[in-house]
Amino acid sequence: MTKAFATALAVATALAGGTLAAAAQEIVLRSADTHPDGYPTVEAVKYMSDVLKQSTDGRISIQVFDSHQLGEEKETIEQTKFGVIDLDRVNFAPMNGIVPATIVPCMPYIFTSKENMREVMDGPIGEDILKAFEPAGYVGLAVYDSGARSFYNSKHPIKTLDDLKGLKFRVIQSDLFVDMVNALGANATPMAYGEVYSGLQTGLIDGAENNWPSYESSKHYEVAKYYSLDQHSQCPEVLMMSKISWDKLSPEDQKAVREAAKKSVTKMRELWDAQEAKSRKIVEDAGVEINEVDVKPFIKAMDPIYEKYADTPELKELVKRVRDTQK
Ligand code: GTR
């Protein structure tokens, strides 16, 4: 080997190695969230990024775009499908029409408690639901808590089904929720989360439905001061990845992403429990009128929803499997 050739070879090798190292080094996954910085879902994905950085020697990290910077949930779901966004943290509800299995954990009063929801979503039922994302172009990575959704409005407390009559509620964007709230006797209108505050303020809607941390962090409590704890759904959150982005990762990196996502679930639950209490305190201190609800008639009114939405053998079976955990 001549000296010149050896030098050229060394340079070429270094360059190739360098390019590879640079390419391998810099993977920054873009992740969307509708919630503001500090919200448990946002913090959980940031935590996941730290875990991932550690397990990949700093090669892979996640940049979280909070406060719907990348769009409202319907838009980010679409963009994630096309690989424009790598990761998306959304509620299961706007996925109901895209991944039918997500309907089951959103069903009214399907879980008996927070613990029951966690147990179901941690086990084989949760795994099966996450797997159902793949044919739709997503990889389901983790399920996060979302507490229980209850009604709030600007008119009066909801104590009975009669109190819902004539009120117009914004619901999360899912037909299941439209039908659920209509079945309870109110008028449901689906709308993007970011439009709810002004909708309440201008009187376009009388109320909406959500959990403590969302009710508080969105400041909806400022314009809808009656919060009635009917807890009609415990529909959880999901962290999903674009199948297009996923397929670009090596199997080892896919494994690292999955593991980091799983670890973020434990972290999220700690943050969630603390945030629920904190948010409740904030709205109580702000003078919100909170009331408990006798939910028996509410549960009864949901029978047609089970008939309409658990309408395939697969979904019926999933509902049964959830019920079996409660025996
Ligand atoms: C929240 C959920 C958000 C969003 C919002 C909504 O509970 O965390 O992802 O779906 O509800 O009502 O649109």
Side-chain angles (χ1 to χ4, degrees):
M1 207 192 291
T2 65
K3 206 174 163 205
F5 180 68
T7 313
L9 191 68
V11 170
T13 312
L15 272 180
T19 319
L20 273 183
Q25 237 163 31
E26 280 294 315
I27 302 180
V28 182
L29 301 169
R30 286 154 44 91
S31 186
D33 199 309
T34 199
H35 289 302
D37 195 28
Y39 196 93
T41 51
V42 173
E43 294 308 309
V45 179
K46 286 201 227 160
Y47 174 83
M48 174 181 165
S49 177
D50 291 344
V51 173
L52 198 51
K53 261 196 241 165
Q54 222 166 31
S55 62
T56 61
D57 293 322
R59 241 175 354 93
I60 312 182
S61 62
I62 303 169
Q63 187 180 1
V64 183
F65 293 83
D66 55 58
S67 310
H68 52 82
Q69 290 174 59
L70 300 183
E72 297 283 355
E73 289 192 340
K74 283 260 179 197
E75 294 150 12
T76 60
I77 288 169
E78 185 90 340
Q79 291 184 38
T80 305
K81 186 178 170 77
F82 296 113
V84 181
I85 297 173
D86 303 304
L87 290 161
D88 201 9
R89 197 296 308 158
V90 290
N91 192 264
F92 267 33
M95 293 302 291
N96 289 167
I98 303 168
V99 179
T102 61
I103 288 174
V104 173
C106 296
M107 282 292 220
Y109 302 105
I110 185 132
F111 299 116
T112 48
S113 62
K114 180 193 272 187
E115 291 67 38
N116 181 225
M117 186 282 290
R118 287 177 174 174
E119 177 202 339
V120 168
M121 297 315 289
D122 282 348
I125 304 174
E127 281 305 317
D128 287 351
I129 296 174
L130 285 179
K131 272 192 214 122
F133 279 69
E134 284 226 26
Y138 305 93
V139 178
L141 292 176
V143 177
Y144 292 149
D145 276 41
S146 194
R149 298 179 76 92
S150 289
F151 289 115
Y152 47 83
N153 80 93
S154 60
K155 301 289 184 214
H156 52 241
I158 308 300
K159 292 182 177 152
T160 66
L161 290 176
D162 266 355
D163 296 328
L164 283 165
K165 290 213 174 91
L167 293 186
K168 196 166 176 189
F169 284 93
R170 175 271 176 176
V171 292
I172 194 164
Q173 285 157 306
S174 152
D175 291 347
L176 169 67
F177 279 76
V178 173
D179 283 341
M180 216 192 282
V181 170
N182 285 339
L184 292 171
N187 302 320
T189 177
M191 181 188 283
Y193 189 50
E195 288 165 17
V196 179
Y197 189 95
S198 65
L200 288 166
Q201 210 176 22
T202 58
L204 180 68
I205 46 174
D206 300 308
E209 40 91 52
N210 226 313
N211 54 45
W212 289 105
S214 293
Y215 179 47
E216 178 266 308
S217 63
S218 62
K219 308 262 187 266
H220 293 170
Y221 69 95
E222 293 176 351
V223 277
K225 287 196 170 297
Y226 299 98
Y227 193 34
S228 306
L229 306 177
D230 71 297
Q231 311 199 330
H232 49 265
S233 173
Q234 285 191 61
C235 190
E237 317 281 1
V238 65
L239 177 69
M240 61 187 190
M241 187 156 176
S242 167
K243 182 79 170 59
I244 295 175
S245 309
W246 178 256
D247 288 341
K248 288 183 192 154
L249 297 179
S250 68
E252 299 79 62
D253 288 348
Q254 289 177 345
K255 192 162 167 266
V257 168
R258 265 200 204 284
E259 281 173 8
K262 288 284 171 239
K263 284 192 181 146
S264 72
V265 173
T266 317
K267 178 74 180 173
M268 198 280 175
R269 287 181 184 169
E270 280 167 37
L271 295 169
W272 181 258
D273 290 343
Q275 188 64 51
E276 270 191 323
K278 213 164 117 189
S279 294
R280 180 173 188 143
K281 173 97 178 54
I282 293 172
V283 304
E284 274 172 359
D285 289 352
V288 162
E289 198 176 316
I290 299 156
N291 68 282
E292 300 290 332
V293 179
D294 170 14
V295 295
K296 274 184 234 93
F298 285 61
I299 296 176
K300 188 83 200 81
M302 294 301 187
D303 287 349
I305 299 299
Y306 276 84
E307 270 156 43
K308 180 166 177 190
Y309 284 90
D311 60 340
T312 63
E314 293 78 24
L315 293 181
K316 279 200 181 85
E317 175 61 18
L318 260 187
V319 170
K320 184 181 170 297
R321 284 170 69 195
V322 175
R323 298 279 190 228
D324 284 348
T325 66
Q326 298 157 358
K327 281 181 183 153

